[in-house]
Amino acid sequence: MPVEGQRGAAHGEQSDYGAWFQQVTGHVPHPWQQRLGNNLEPDSRVLRIPTGLGKTCGVLGAWMWNRLVRRDPAWPRRLVWALPMRVLVEQTLGVVRAALDAGGFDDVSVVPMLGGEADDRWHLRPEAEAVLVGTQDMLLSRALNRGYGAPRARWPMEFALLHTDALWVLDEVQLMDVGLTTSSQLQSFRGAPPRDATTWRPTHSWWMSATLRPEWLLTVDSSAEVQQSSTRVCVIPPEERAGPAFEATKSLCVAATPAKAADAAQAIADLALASHAADRTSLVIVNTVSLARQVHAKLAKHCAQTEIDLRLVHSRFRPCDRRAWRDDFLRPDAAVPSAGRIIVSTQVVEAGVDLSADLLVTELAPWASLVQRFGRAARFGGQAEIVVVDRGLEGKDLLPYDPEQIVAARGLLTELQTADLASLDDIEQRLRATEPARAELLFHHQPAHVLTELEFVDLFDTTPDLTGADLDIGRFIRTGDDRDLGIAWIDLDGDSAPDPNLHPARDAVCPVAIAEAREWLFKVKTPPTAFAWDFLTGTWRRARREDCRPGAVLAVSAAAGGYDPQLGFTGDPPKRGQRVVVAPAAALGRESLADYGHAFDEVSVQAFKTIATHGRETAEQVGEFAGDLDLPPRTVELLDLAARLHDWGKAHPVFQAAIRREDPARPPRDDLAKAPQTAWHALRGIYDHDPTSGRRRGFRHELASALACFELLRGHAPDHPAFAGADATPVETHDSNLLAAELAALSAGEFDLVAYLVAAHHGKVRGRLHAAPQDQQGRSGGTTLPIRGVADGDLLPATDLAASPGEPAATPAVALSLEPAAIGLSPRYGRSWTERVLELVDRHGPIELAWLETLLRVADVRASRLQTDDPLLETAR
């Protein structure tokens, strides 16, 4: 149960936020946290709060109080927390779970977004509150409709949910590079509802960092909301700058070391050992994983002899091996051994990590990064010693950082002897007042790529080309060497491909720089055996060089080595007889498996049920959540109609033949939408069993459903506005039919929307209609090439479907035409499929169109889970 403060308190009621905050977090709120929680508007804003002053709890508390306790509908139902580093994700998840537990909100989903598969199914609960915490890679890629590590068919659902009724928290933005600008552009693009939007719900963004500059958010096409948010800044005023964090003292000096990495590693190790003290924590931060490994190696022997606890922290570890870090040493109250602890890290601990070091040895970095690193020393008060290591590097040797920013930081360090909060604030204020150009250089943000609205809209369509390729969004998320892919080590039977049902769990996926992965997988003398997932074929195939792209997940034989639980990814060959310890694979539900392959249809595996009954139950599921989401009545009516029509294409002989007719339990009818596992033919070749159709591998029943809607309406109302531009040749009309009459009552735009929703209800038939590789195997008797397993002229037999108000109604047999796939106007239907979808995107916007698509898909999955008897089958018996 919620703690006192009362979930469900009347909207606008001013209860004691401070007492509630203390009960949930264990801390009395800082004044800025109190003000944020009592702010009744969730508008986009900037939070510029120094390190160690509770940004995470402050933001989390404000959302929980206003959304979960006060039940204010103005506050979004989804909290989306984006962070630049995985180690920050795991720490933030711990804070979120603890606060929700303390508040009694055990019904709020907490979803890690770290890559790999986990069957959390958050995307199937659009009406529920949820907190999603992930890296900028995982979240921004989903916001761009190309979710890293997610099955392709699920991309539109996650895209819609992240842009609808969500509060984005962009945390530690100084580390986000181009991802910061992308987040600002996305907020601009979704800031106002499109002209025909009916279900639009606002989404806001909060950007926060100790070193954030509001001007970083602005581009040439920033919306008014983003411009206003850059002036809506939460800061700590001078009169409130008191307490242990402000009173900490931090001495600062600069030490020159050799430039060569091996020599620098030894010098850095010597500096750390020279100032390290027993019972204390020393933190070494360097700029690359390679140098961190070398420094760790230089320290290893001495630390082993003196019993100093030596730890290595960087981004190239699997989550299952990182998890112990927080319990062991990456938390404020972690026990320190008597000989002390030395942590060697990259910039992954630069910001947000609740770690307080007595000694900080850091490699020279841009000023914003140095300020964040200084925040790891004496984080909660006391004293600390800081040593900045300058290797004297110049030019390209300073990559991945901007050389000009390094030079500027080098110069500023000569003017400082301390690095406490007051000193850092004073020098920044002085520079802004007397040397603004120099101040601008210290906090310069110049993104390499800026996402345009046209590019954002183009990303709506997720149809793969014939090679399975996609637009590269990596340049909008990270630049340069920061781009990663995932590698999961698995047990393989020789060189055989993994089972198609095997998909690595997020705990098993190790992030690896793309350049390193290519070097390891394709340039060594004996390359490891690696496989990439192919959506179009639904199989694992041998990985190719071009498969090394941002967000990809490759499966590699455990016998190939390349990973050590203590060192992370190494790329080293295994020692004799050794293998990488395999992390467990995900146990996927049917809904997840169905999203992984073009031809997969696992959601159809249930007890026998007819198309009419499943359509009726899907429509009823729409009604179940329509009220919670405050959907307009007309929108509910359109979703209801699409729900009743969505599986009509399963009456196609190819689909019905996939259910074994020799199964004695099969009902004697050809309108089945569901059948139990034992009733189906084997997945490979599942659509090869209709003798009149030939092979139809890749058959998509939802395309048949949508094409049938076109033909049903044409036979009932050939002059309907939806067919503007078609030939005026008289056509043979069908007998009166309730569903045909419902379609005829729609406007042209409403018909297009219903047809799109029907086609898109598995996320596999969306913006474009073109043949897939499996269609090459589908030619039969000299017919034209099928599209998604549907051939021109295929006959959909007369079928019972659910008509409003839900009773079965017989629909006539219809012959399916592929004319909508043609370019331009077609004689039969007028506008092409692509033109209709583009008009829908223009009228509704990509976000609302994907949102409506998501709602129908959610209703379909929920209806598929129902364990109900089918009255039509009972009648047949």
Side-chain angles (χ1 to χ4, degrees):
M1 296 295 294
V3 300
E4 190 174 0
Q6 304 311 342
R7 182 170 189 167
H11 174 52
E13 180 181 333
Q14 291 297 311
S15 305
D16 188 351
Y17 175 66
W20 175 88
F21 183 94
Q22 184 174 3
Q23 192 166 355
V24 169
T25 67
H27 307 288
V28 175
H30 294 292
W32 77 266
Q33 294 172 324
Q34 181 82 39
R35 288 192 295 273
L36 189 65
N38 285 331
N39 190 322
L40 301 184
E41 300 298 332
D43 299 336
S44 296
R45 66 187 64 242
V46 168
L47 291 90
R48 190 168 186 265
I49 306 296
T51 59
L53 291 175
K55 289 191 293 295
T56 301
C57 287
V59 169
L60 179 62
W63 178 80
M64 289 176 61
W65 173 254
N66 287 288
R67 177 71 201 190
L68 304 182
V69 177
R70 293 182 55 248
R71 305 303 294 165
D72 185 347
W75 283 72
R77 72 182 69 232
R78 278 173 289 280
L79 182 63
V80 182
W81 208 298
L83 294 137
M85 304 291 182
R86 291 165 185 84
V87 67
L88 302 181
V89 171
E90 287 148 355
Q91 175 179 288
T92 304
L93 282 167
V95 174
V96 170
R97 287 174 175 140
L100 289 172
D101 287 346
F105 302 114
D106 53 5
D107 56 338
V108 177
S109 298
V110 181
V111 185
M113 308 291 279
L114 286 164
E117 181 59 54
D119 202 17
D120 42 57
R121 304 179 187 177
W122 69 273
H123 57 288
L124 299 176
R125 301 179 64 208
E127 75 279 27
E129 281 101 0
V131 183
L132 292 84
V133 185
T135 60
Q136 67 186 78
D137 309 75
M138 294 297 115
L139 289 168
L140 288 179
S141 64
R142 283 161 173 76
L144 294 173
N145 212 12
R146 294 296 185 276
Y148 289 172
R152 175 187 293 272
R154 196 182 302 162
W155 291 350
M157 299 182 75
E158 296 181 336
F159 168 81
L161 290 162
L162 291 175
H163 285 297
T164 304
D165 206 6
L167 173 60
W168 278 70
V169 177
L170 290 304
D171 198 353
E172 305 298 359
V173 296
Q174 80 285 347
L175 294 175
M176 286 190 172
D177 186 50
V178 71
L180 169 60
T181 302
T182 298
S183 72
S184 174
Q185 291 293 89
L186 290 175
Q187 186 59 45
S188 290
F189 302 154
R190 64 184 171 228
R195 56 188 173 93
D196 285 357
T198 60
T199 64
W200 182 83
R201 288 282 300 165
T203 286
H204 305 288
S205 295
W206 290 9
W207 294 274
M208 63 184 192
S209 163
T211 54
L212 171 59
R213 294 297 176 275
E215 59 268 22
W216 290 353
L217 304 180
L218 302 179
T219 67
V220 292
D221 49 5
S222 292
S223 67
E225 182 195 12
V226 170
Q227 293 178 34
Q228 291 168 5
S229 70
S230 69
T231 64
R232 197 180 293 121
V233 183
C234 176
V235 297
I236 298 178
E239 63 270 18
E240 294 176 7
R241 293 176 173 254
F246 289 99
E247 295 163 3
T249 58
K250 309 177 187 184
S251 66
L252 174 66
C253 68
V254 178
T257 69
K260 187 177 178 182
D263 296 334
Q266 185 63 64
I268 293 170
D270 291 343
L271 284 169
L273 291 173
S275 298
H276 177 74
D279 299 315
R280 295 291 184 263
T281 296
S282 297
L283 175 62
V284 177
I285 304 178
V286 294
N287 296 340
T288 65
V289 173
S290 174
L291 185 57
R293 290 177 183 147
Q294 293 181 66
V295 172
H296 180 270
K298 299 293 186 183
L299 289 168
K301 184 176 181 180
H302 177 86
C303 289
Q305 292 173 344
T306 57
E307 298 184 342
I308 295 174
D309 182 28
L310 177 64
R311 304 288 186 147
L312 176 64
V313 176
H314 57 73
S315 61
R316 310 308 188 201
F317 282 87
R318 298 183 302 194
C320 60
D321 298 318
R322 281 200 308 266
R323 189 167 295 111
W325 293 353
R326 187 166 183 265
D327 292 335
D328 291 348
F329 60 93
L330 286 186
R331 57 187 175 88
D333 57 346
V336 179
S338 58
R341 173 178 292 127
I342 298 178
I343 302 170
V344 180
S345 176
T346 59
Q347 56 266 50
V348 296
V349 299
E350 183 173 299
V353 175
D354 273 335
L355 171 69
S356 185
D358 303 283
L359 168 67
L360 171 66
V361 179
T362 173
E363 191 175 1
L364 181 64
W367 185 248
S369 293
L370 286 177
V371 171
Q372 294 288 348
R373 295 181 189 187
F374 296 163
R376 301 315 107 194
R379 179 172 172 80
F380 307 111
Q383 298 179 337
E385 177 185 354
I386 298 175
V387 180
V388 177
V389 172
D390 187 352
R391 296 166 58 191
L393 301 177
E394 303 288 348
K396 66 179 182 179
D397 291 332
L398 290 168
L399 295 175
Y401 296 123
D402 181 347
E404 288 187 352
Q405 288 192 296
I406 296 290
V407 171
R410 181 182 285 145
L412 189 58
L413 286 170
T414 63
E415 303 175 33
L416 285 170
Q417 286 76 46
T418 61
D420 54 78
L421 289 176
S423 298
L424 297 177
D425 188 59
D426 287 346
I427 197 167
E428 180 185 337
Q429 297 302 323
R430 177 175 63 79
L431 288 176
R432 287 191 173 277
T434 62
E435 300 181 72
R438 188 180 177 197
E440 170 64 23
L441 183 58
L442 285 169
F443 294 98
H444 184 63
H445 174 69
Q446 182 63 50
H449 303 281
V450 178
L451 178 73
T452 67
E453 189 165 13
L454 179 60
E455 288 169 321
F456 175 66
V457 172
D458 284 346
L459 288 167
F460 173 79
D461 186 26
T462 56
T463 308
D465 66 20
L466 293 179
T467 67
D470 290 293
L471 292 172
D472 176 24
I473 61 164
R475 66 187 185 278
F476 301 124
I477 297 174
R478 292 187 191 268
T479 56
D481 294 336
D482 283 344
R483 300 191 196 185
D484 292 348
L485 55 74
I487 290 180
W489 284 262
I490 63 174
D491 288 321
L492 291 177
D493 182 10
D495 289 338
S496 299
D499 187 302
N501 290 329
L502 183 149
H503 292 277
R506 63 167 60 102
D507 266 7
V509 178
C510 176
V512 178
I514 289 176
E516 286 188 81
R518 285 176 176 161
E519 180 77 26
W520 183 50
L521 295 174
F522 300 105
K523 290 188 177 181
V524 297
K525 189 173 294 184
T526 307
T529 302
F531 293 88
W533 179 254
D534 190 320
F535 172 81
L536 291 175
T537 63
T539 60
W540 291 95
R541 58 162 174 75
R542 281 298 186 99
R544 300 187 289 261
R545 182 180 175 83
E546 56 268 26
D547 293 318
C548 294
R549 61 183 184 275
V553 176
L554 305 182
V556 175
S557 170
Y563 185 84
D564 183 285
Q566 305 303 317
L567 302 176
F569 175 77
T570 64
D572 296 334
K575 297 177 181 178
R576 182 180 296 274
Q578 289 188 345
R579 301 166 60 88
V580 176
V581 176
V582 174
L588 302 185
R590 286 174 180 152
E591 298 93 349
S592 292
L593 283 172
D595 290 341
Y596 268 98
H598 172 70
F600 288 8
D601 203 15
E602 278 75 5
V603 290
S604 294
V605 180
Q606 295 288 349
F608 287 112
K609 191 165 285 187
T610 60
I611 296 169
T613 296
H614 174 62
R616 172 181 57 78
E617 292 179 338
T618 302
E620 291 169 352
Q621 290 297 312
V622 171
E624 289 286 332
F625 56 66
D628 290 334
L629 294 173
D630 196 25
L631 299 179
R634 186 54 178 166
T635 300
V636 177
E637 291 171 1
L638 297 176
L639 286 167
D640 181 288
L641 177 56
R644 289 181 281 117
L645 291 166
H646 79 282
D647 268 358
W648 186 6
K650 288 184 176 180
H652 195 293
V654 167
F655 187 90
Q656 293 300 310
I659 305 171
R660 295 187 299 113
R661 297 188 182 279
E662 63 272 20
D663 188 330
R666 172 176 175 154
R669 53 194 302 152
D670 286 322
D671 62 345
L672 297 175
K674 309 289 181 183
Q677 183 74 57
T678 56
W680 296 90
H681 286 287
L683 178 62
R684 182 172 178 81
I686 190 173
Y687 296 125
D688 291 355
H689 298 279
D690 178 48
T692 63
S693 302
R695 285 183 170 183
R696 293 294 183 88
R697 294 182 179 177
F699 174 77
R700 294 308 317 168
H701 67 272
E702 60 268 35
L703 175 57
S705 299
L707 295 176
C709 292
F710 277 84
E711 194 59 23
L712 180 63
L713 177 59
R714 180 176 180 270
H716 181 82
D719 57 350
H720 192 278
F723 301 138
D727 284 354
T729 306
V731 300
E732 181 180 350
T733 58
H734 298 305
D735 294 336
S736 179
N737 174 270
L738 292 175
L739 281 166
E742 286 190 71
L743 290 175
L746 304 177
S747 68
E750 289 175 334
F751 172 78
D752 290 347
L753 177 59
V754 168
Y756 173 79
L757 295 177
V758 167
H761 79 265
H762 283 296
K764 300 175 183 181
V765 180
R766 301 186 70 244
R768 289 173 288 154
L769 302 181
H770 59 59
Q774 298 96 323
D775 291 317
Q776 298 288 343
Q777 306 169 10
R779 296 178 184 269
S780 177
T783 60
T784 56
L785 189 68
I787 294 178
R788 313 297 176 89
V790 178
D792 196 61
D794 278 357
L795 186 68
L796 212 58
T799 310
D800 282 350
L801 298 178
S804 182
E807 293 300 317
T811 56
V814 294
L816 306 181
S817 170
L818 294 179
E819 282 196 18
I823 298 174
L825 295 175
S826 73
R828 196 174 190 88
Y829 305 122
R831 292 167 299 131
S832 69
W833 178 262
T834 298
E835 184 178 349
R836 292 171 190 267
V837 174
L838 289 175
E839 289 179 5
L840 288 172
V841 172
D842 182 57
R843 292 201 308 270
H844 293 273
I847 294 170
E848 180 174 81
L849 189 54
W851 172 243
L852 295 172
E853 173 184 349
T854 296
L855 296 181
L856 182 60
R857 292 183 65 180
V858 168
D860 180 29
V861 171
R862 291 184 180 181
S864 297
R865 292 177 179 175
L866 296 175
Q867 302 295 316
T868 55
D869 294 329
D870 188 333
L872 299 182
L873 296 181
E874 293 296 320
T875 302
R877 292 192 184 99

